[in-house]
Amino acid sequence: MSIRAFLIRLIDRFYFPFIRSILPLQTFRYAVCGGMNMLLDMILYFGIFHVVVRADLVVLWGGDLVISPEVAAFLITFPITFFTGLWLGRNISFQHSVLRHRTQLFRYLLVVLMNILMKYYGLKLFVGVFRVFPSIANAILTLLSVIFSYFMQKYFTFKGNKSI
């Protein structure tokens, strides 16, 4: 059995009747895959920040470029979770997309970049202008990002997808 088939069977095993009445299967799979990728990101970030970077400044090119430890950990984890998220979206959540993989990759990158910009400027706006507590602002923006991402993935990145 392939990893794809195994994950689909595992995820679908938890698609209980009370969930069926609330969420379509595709949305449920998207939520589980997104949650798995977010958990992977948190674990990788924690490990890389505390073990690899060791919470020190990262000096590159003989001191010409210095990166803060939190940004260095992000730069290391981002490509990993970017591609796992793309793979999960393409192969689990939106597996019936008719778009070419190259097109999906480019569109997925655009959506991820839009999310990064939305989160950055949203935090600046909520915290800096509206004086919202940073954790609350982050939670609101994460919720908005998840909703935005779902619709963008369904109707843009993996467009042409037949709902399951």
Side-chain angles (χ1 to χ4, degrees):
M1 174 186 309
S2 69
I3 292 174
R4 178 178 170 260
F6 172 76
L7 286 174
I8 289 172
R9 285 183 61 188
L10 180 66
I11 292 168
D12 289 356
R13 183 169 289 186
F14 294 96
Y15 190 52
F16 300 123
F18 71 92
I19 297 174
R20 276 188 201 110
S21 65
I22 301 169
L23 292 175
L25 179 58
Q26 183 180 57
T27 306
F28 177 74
R29 285 179 179 170
Y30 178 81
V32 172
C33 289
M36 288 176 9
N37 204 44
M38 191 181 327
L39 182 62
L40 173 65
D41 179 66
M42 289 178 193
I43 292 168
L44 283 175
Y45 186 89
F46 181 86
I48 289 169
F49 183 81
H50 291 287
V51 176
V52 177
V53 179
R54 290 189 278 250
D56 291 327
L57 292 174
V58 177
V59 180
L60 302 172
W61 290 288
D64 291 337
L65 179 64
V66 178
I67 302 174
S68 67
E70 59 275 5
V71 172
F74 168 74
L75 291 174
I76 295 168
T77 59
F78 177 76
I80 298 166
T81 56
F82 173 83
F83 284 109
T84 56
L86 175 65
W87 187 89
L88 289 167
R90 176 187 294 158
N91 292 291
I92 309 293
S93 304
F94 303 105
Q95 58 188 300
H96 301 290
S97 177
V98 296
L99 296 176
R100 293 177 16 195
H101 287 206
R102 182 174 39 187
T103 303
Q104 291 174 359
L105 171 65
F106 178 72
R107 290 180 177 194
Y108 188 79
L109 177 63
L110 287 178
V111 173
V112 168
L113 291 175
M114 283 189 279
N115 272 304
I116 290 170
L117 291 173
M118 181 174 67
K119 192 101 176 224
Y120 176 80
Y121 288 110
L123 284 170
K124 291 288 187 188
L125 179 70
F126 283 168
V127 175
V129 176
F130 297 127
R131 304 284 186 226
V132 176
F133 191 68
S135 295
I136 294 172
N138 184 55
I140 292 167
L141 289 164
T142 298
L143 180 64
L144 292 174
S145 175
V146 166
I147 294 167
F148 171 77
S149 290
Y150 174 73
F151 287 107
M152 289 300 291
Q153 303 306 359
K154 184 173 181 171
Y155 297 110
F156 177 68
T157 303
F158 303 105
K159 183 179 172 186
N161 182 46
K162 297 178 233 159
S163 291
I164 50 175

